């Protein structure tokens, strides 16, 4: 990703004790599943996901995600790198 110009140190935050796997798309669609984004999870495991096209359900998941993100997420700092400046988070 670095070769493609993506600065992971500026765009990643870590959340402790969070194990959910999902995506919220435009507050109207949510994808939830068991997929691990690791070599084994992508190549060998029989993981599954469910696409839910429902704004109320997607907004529920979005509310939960944002609560965790705003209250628990800490910026990722690579070894030897300076800590990034705090950013305003979406609420």
């Amino acid at each position: 990703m670095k070769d493609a110009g993506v600065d992971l140190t500026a765009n990643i935050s870590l959340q402790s004790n969070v194990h959910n796997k999902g995506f919220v798309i435009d507050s109207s669609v949510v994808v939830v599943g068991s997929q691990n984004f690791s070599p084994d999870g992508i190549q060998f495991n029989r993981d599954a996901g469910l696409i839910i096209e429902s704004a109320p359900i997607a907004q529920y998941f979005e509310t939960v995600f944002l609560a965790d993100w705003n209250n628990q997420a800490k910026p990722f700092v690579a070894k030897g790198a300076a800590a990034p400046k705090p950013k305003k988070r979406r609420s």
Side-chain angles (χ1 to χ4, degrees):
M1 291 181 75
K2 187 175 182 180
D3 292 341
V6 176
D7 182 0
L8 295 176
T9 61
N11 298 309
I12 291 181
S13 291
L14 304 176
Q15 291 177 264
S16 60
N17 302 319
V18 175
H19 190 74
N20 53 5
K21 298 162 185 156
F23 306 90
V24 178
I25 303 164
D26 295 333
S27 301
S28 61
V29 176
V30 66
V31 179
V32 293
S34 61
Q35 181 71 46
N36 286 308
F37 297 100
S38 64
D40 280 348
I42 294 168
Q43 296 174 338
F44 305 113
N45 296 349
R46 188 179 303 273
D47 291 327
L50 179 65
I51 299 170
I52 303 170
E53 295 177 342
S54 166
I57 294 172
Q59 290 164 13
Y60 167 80
F61 278 95
E62 183 175 46
T63 299
V64 171
F65 171 82
L66 289 173
D68 288 343
W69 185 257
N70 290 325
N71 295 312
Q72 296 180 15
K74 305 290 185 239
F76 170 76
V77 180
K79 291 181 183 178
K85 293 180 183 179
K87 294 187 230 180
K88 281 189 165 184
R89 297 204 187 260
R90 193 174 114 182
S91 59

